[in-house]
Amino acid sequence: GEPLVDRRSTFQAFVALDVRSEAQARWALRALLSRPRIAKATHNMYAYRFVDAATGARRADNEDDGETGAGAKMAHVLDLFDGPTGVFVMVSRWYGGIKLGPDRFKHIAKLTQRALEDNG
């Protein structure tokens, strides 16, 4: 997705669709982190959900990567989204030196929602 810049911090969302297993979610994470620019981000928060083909059970997980609460916020946005279930969303943040307070969570949620809408 398009980057969002606030007070010199840059946020950008990335999405993988048709995720059907933990292995595919891990693959999406590795593939994104293999990009040097993404790997150098201060935080790479993510959330995913899918329906396990073998059991029919819904699987979901998230990661804050040091931005406490961000992964849970992203997971909540996924839960509210009426779109594909097999989805992995990562929001990367490159810290610009100015603390954003709660605005950073608004940006993370907004970019997660935008990524879902653009790819749903």
Side-chain angles (χ1 to χ4, degrees):
E2 289 297 314
L4 182 153
V5 179
D6 180 5
R7 292 168 269 176
R8 298 192 325 234
S9 280
T10 301
F11 298 80
Q12 189 168 10
F14 306 91
V15 64
L17 300 174
D18 297 323
V19 174
R20 297 183 184 146
S21 67
E22 295 282 341
Q24 287 180 335
R26 287 190 304 272
W27 180 89
L29 176 63
R30 282 192 312 272
L32 287 167
L33 292 176
S34 73
R35 297 180 185 179
R37 182 171 187 279
I38 295 172
K40 291 178 185 176
T42 311
H43 304 285
N44 286 302
M45 297 84 42
Y46 64 84
Y48 63 86
R49 69 176 184 183
F50 64 91
V51 174
D52 186 302
T55 65
R58 181 180 176 272
R59 304 281 185 212
D61 202 2
N62 64 79
E63 169 61 42
D64 296 331
D65 192 30
E67 194 72 275
T68 305
K73 184 79 158 171
M74 294 174 70
H76 180 69
V77 173
L78 285 179
D79 287 341
L80 294 175
F81 185 68
D82 185 29
T85 56
V87 64
F88 175 100
V89 180
M90 174 186 280
V91 176
S92 299
R93 178 187 182 191
W94 294 267
Y95 181 62
I98 300 170
K99 294 186 179 190
L100 303 181
D103 286 347
R104 69 191 189 274
F105 297 108
K106 292 176 189 172
H107 300 326
I108 292 164
K110 178 180 181 177
L111 288 175
T112 300
Q113 180 178 352
R114 188 183 300 161
L116 294 169
E117 289 170 350
D118 290 350
N119 292 282

